[in-house]
Amino acid sequence: MRIETNCVQAGYTPQNGEPRVLPIVQSTTYKYESSEQMGRLFDLEESGYFYTRLQNPTNDAVAAKIAALEGGVAAMLTSSGQAANFYAVFNICQAGDHVVSASTIYGGTFNLFGVTMKKMGIDVTFVHPDVSAEELNAAFRPNTKCVFAETISNPSLVVLDFDKFVKAAHDHGVPMIVDNTFATPINCRPFEFGVDIVTHSTTKYMDGHATSVGGAIVDSGRFPWLEHADKFPGMTQPDDSYHGLSYAQSFGAGAYITKATVQLMRDLGSIPSPHNAFLLNLGLETLALRVQRHCENAQAVAEMLEKDSRVAWVDYPGLPSGRYYALAQKYMPNGTCGVISFGVKGGREAATKFMDHLKLAAIVTHVADARTCVLHPASTTHRQLNDKQLKEAGVSPDLIRFSVGIENVQDIIEDIQQALAESQKA
């Protein structure tokens, strides 16, 4: 099936007489006839449902749909995008390990890696995505366990050079993890460029309506864990909590997601509610339609901003004048995302005035849903970063993150133009 069809059909196939629409299985527990069968479920000797913290039919159907959209072998839903990124890394890291990460990642993820995970004994080296291959390779250590980056960075809109980062990761025997939230699988499927694991904040375009916080991890099933057994003991050595079971040996291509589910989710419990998964599924059904409209509208807005004398600068991967246009055309020829970064002449004060005078676009701590919204990252999402870290993340003090919605584009443009006029008044 093509991706537009999978948005609607994948993950759930009702049988004769069953609900046509994915049902919400709002239950914590599942009944069985014998203790023996329940024991086999707990030992992972048999598949089935026994507690929603580990698995739920509604959640699993939506995870399967996302796996199909990305072209992966399996996926797991989490309660947020932050949880997805944490689990994706922590699933193969422990105290004493090291991670190489792009410095331009979302501020919350930067803080997760640079502060919280550091307290757990996991060290992270941040590198700018534009570094040379030599500089990137120099960041690796013998205890490096993975590389992390975003397809399109939030909010600096840096487009990742997949070839450079994937080659470096694999040359050092570690998986490449990519957060594909902004591009979505509609515009980019990282597995096609050699990426091993993909994460999403499903809160954004996948949900699309700002109703449900959530995340997802998708595994390509291709990383050869057993070939690097010494580096990844958690994947290849016996797990005492499951009677000495080895994930890589017992579950093959499904090892990574199985471990994340039955070990991390079992112990940490960052699950989405089945109702939230149901709402996410409704959003996924229109994902292909909405992403196309987001990109068409954003392209028109970016072109308008680029020509406006009241605008100091514009970053959008779809502009031929943009820094990352060539990479965007290479990896995302059909479109990138609906988010634009730009600055208003007059600096931070003018940016504030511009945002305060918007009427259609709302100032919210969100991005990438059906409604046009705007944010000043330096004072909100990236507020915890110091000036040096802001620079590393590509967030200037005057940067405005403008998330173009699916409204009539002319209404969006007119709203921007009247707010720009107000921003330049003394």
Side-chain angles (χ1 to χ4, degrees):
M1 295 293 182
R2 291 167 177 81
I3 198 162
E4 296 86 353
T5 304
N6 277 331
C7 283
V8 179
Q9 298 280 358
Y12 172 67
T13 304
Q15 303 303 307
N16 187 49
E18 292 183 345
R20 180 66 186 89
V21 175
L22 175 67
I24 304 172
V25 181
Q26 195 69 43
S27 179
T28 61
T29 50
Y30 307 85
K31 179 183 180 296
Y32 288 91
E33 298 296 333
S34 73
S35 298
E36 182 180 351
Q37 185 180 17
M38 184 71 81
R40 290 197 299 270
L41 293 171
F42 271 88
D43 285 343
L44 307 183
E45 295 174 353
E46 188 174 311
S47 62
Y49 297 99
F50 53 94
Y51 198 58
T52 282
R53 188 172 75 240
L54 278 83
Q55 289 177 292
N56 172 278
T58 307
N59 293 3
D60 285 0
V62 181
K65 175 175 285 190
I66 294 173
L69 294 178
E70 284 287 5
V73 297
M76 180 182 80
L77 298 188
T78 61
S79 58
S80 68
Q82 279 291 82
N85 287 336
F86 172 59
Y87 281 23
V89 173
F90 195 57
N91 199 34
I92 50 177
C93 289
Q94 60 185 16
D97 287 341
H98 173 253
V99 174
V100 175
S101 173
S103 62
T104 53
I105 56 177
Y106 164 64
T109 311
F110 192 103
N111 196 66
L112 168 68
F113 290 171
V115 178
T116 303
M117 288 179 64
K118 189 173 184 179
K119 295 176 182 177
M120 301 169 67
I122 299 170
D123 199 13
V124 180
T125 297
F126 292 101
V127 297
H128 195 281
D130 293 346
V131 296
S132 66
E134 292 74 21
E135 291 173 299
L136 177 57
N137 280 290
F140 286 80
R141 303 174 188 172
N143 60 336
T144 301
K145 295 299 176 70
C146 66
V147 181
F148 184 94
E150 295 174 348
T151 302
I152 306 172
S153 65
N154 175 14
S156 55
L157 303 182
V158 174
V159 176
L160 183 68
D161 187 341
F162 285 99
D163 290 348
K164 178 174 67 178
F165 271 75
V166 168
K167 184 178 187 306
H170 292 172
D171 283 350
H172 291 272
V174 301
M176 181 76 211
I177 304 175
V178 168
D179 184 331
N180 197 35
T181 296
F182 266 20
T184 81
I186 305 303
N187 285 338
C188 184
R189 302 219 303 175
F191 294 154
E192 296 176 358
F193 303 110
V195 169
D196 301 289
I197 297 154
V198 162
T199 66
H200 283 276
S201 171
T202 61
T203 317
K204 312 303 190 301
Y205 287 121
M206 284 189 165
D207 171 85
H209 301 87
T211 64
S212 306
V213 175
I217 307 171
V218 190
D219 183 24
S220 68
R222 293 197 301 250
F223 190 81
W225 303 108
L226 290 170
E227 291 180 19
H228 305 280
D230 292 342
K231 190 179 281 285
F232 300 102
M235 293 294 300
T236 60
Q237 298 303 309
D239 182 349
D240 292 338
S241 67
Y242 283 107
H243 308 297
L245 173 148
S246 164
Y247 296 102
Q249 292 178 349
S250 297
F251 298 102
Y256 176 86
I257 292 296
T258 300
K259 180 178 181 293
T261 302
V262 304
Q263 189 185 80
L264 296 190
M265 196 62 81
R266 175 198 65 189
D267 296 344
L268 301 176
S270 302
I271 61 165
S273 73
H275 187 255
N276 274 14
F278 172 83
L279 293 174
L280 168 58
N281 187 61
L282 292 181
L284 288 169
E285 290 181 352
T286 61
L287 181 64
L289 296 172
R290 289 185 289 102
V291 166
Q292 181 180 5
R293 179 61 171 261
H294 280 293
C295 291
E296 290 173 354
N297 282 1
Q299 186 70 30
V301 170
E303 290 173 0
M304 179 275 294
L305 289 170
E306 189 175 41
K307 297 173 183 175
D308 198 301
S309 60
R310 298 164 294 192
V311 176
W313 57 271
V314 184
D315 260 349
Y316 184 65
L319 290 175
S321 61
R323 297 173 296 163
Y324 299 101
Y325 181 74
L327 284 175
Q329 290 299 299
K330 179 179 179 180
Y331 298 117
M332 292 165 275
N334 297 320
T336 55
C337 66
V339 181
I340 302 168
S341 292
F342 67 96
V344 176
K345 285 185 178 177
R348 191 165 185 158
E349 184 180 343
T352 301
K353 196 180 293 185
F354 165 80
M355 292 170 59
D356 289 348
H357 282 89
L358 288 166
K359 298 176 181 178
L360 182 151
I363 301 173
V364 298
T365 313
H366 199 241
V367 67
D369 68 55
R371 304 164 191 84
T372 297
C373 56
V374 65
L375 193 71
H376 183 247
S379 59
T380 53
T381 57
H382 288 64
R383 190 182 187 93
Q384 72 273 28
L385 306 187
N386 59 39
D387 289 344
K388 181 177 180 293
Q389 291 171 329
L390 283 171
K391 185 177 180 181
E392 289 176 350
V395 179
S396 59
D398 66 338
L399 186 152
I400 294 170
R401 185 183 72 182
F402 198 87
S403 180
V404 183
I406 61 173
E407 304 95 343
N408 184 286
V409 71
Q410 196 55 44
D411 289 332
I412 300 171
I413 288 173
E414 289 173 5
D415 188 37
I416 292 171
Q417 289 174 336
Q418 64 84 21
L420 283 172
E422 294 293 336
S423 75
Q424 302 302 301
K425 291 180 179 178

